[in-house]
Amino acid sequence: IFERSQQMAQLISNVLQMTRLEAGAIALARDWHALGEIAGAALRRQGERLAAHRVEVALDAGLPLVRVDAVLVEQVFANLLENAAKYTPPGTAIAIQARAEPGAVIVEVADAGPGIPPGEEERIFDKFHRLPSGAAAGGVGLGLTICRGIVAAHGGRIQAAGRPGGGAVFSIRLPLDGLAPGPPPEAGA
């Protein structure tokens, strides 16, 4: 009963969040954050679900701070990690990588699951759309739609693709919005 009530609460939360995103009623609480900290929070949040997987994190050294709503971007990471854990066999790796490009930070979440069938790369972001292999995994097909809405609200984009050798990779492009604040001036300067 407790598990089912948790699932129902999550469903209601997802529907409400999707409705707010569609209505443009989500005000971003942007501040400067390190993506590594946001990813770490999502990994802790999904810890139990990820227990059967090897998680590999590779964030480029010197990755710039990004001006984002950390709570919402953490939700994106959590949704992608939850999907990866649901759709991939136990013991397989889930990888999180991030690198800076001119004007943007690129984050990739990759898995070794069944992958995304050709032609479904865009459809999986549609509300309530689920791949046939996802029927046993649970959920209603809102997680990726919410991810796309959150990333778009930040002026970015999210894409999905099949991964060479099997699996799926989700790429998030977050624009670098201005310059991150520097260290405070030294006392007496």
Side-chain angles (χ1 to χ4, degrees), residues 56-140:
E56 301 166 352
V57 179
L59 307 179
D60 280 359
L63 201 60
L65 296 177
V66 289
R67 192 168 173 268
V68 296
D69 184 318
V71 173
L72 292 177
V73 173
E74 180 187 333
Q75 181 66 48
V76 171
F77 284 131
N79 286 1
L80 294 176
L81 291 167
E82 180 180 359
N83 280 355
K86 271 198 263 190
Y87 294 106
T88 60
T92 58
I94 297 170
I96 301 173
Q97 299 177 342
R99 67 186 182 282
E101 290 186 353
V105 171
I106 309 300
V107 179
E108 294 180 344
V109 177
D111 64 49
I116 301 168
E120 292 288 322
E121 296 88 352
E122 283 299 313
R123 290 194 64 216
I124 61 173
F125 291 102
D126 291 346
K127 279 191 292 188
F128 306 112
H129 182 74
R130 294 176 46 204
L131 296 176
S133 62
V140 295

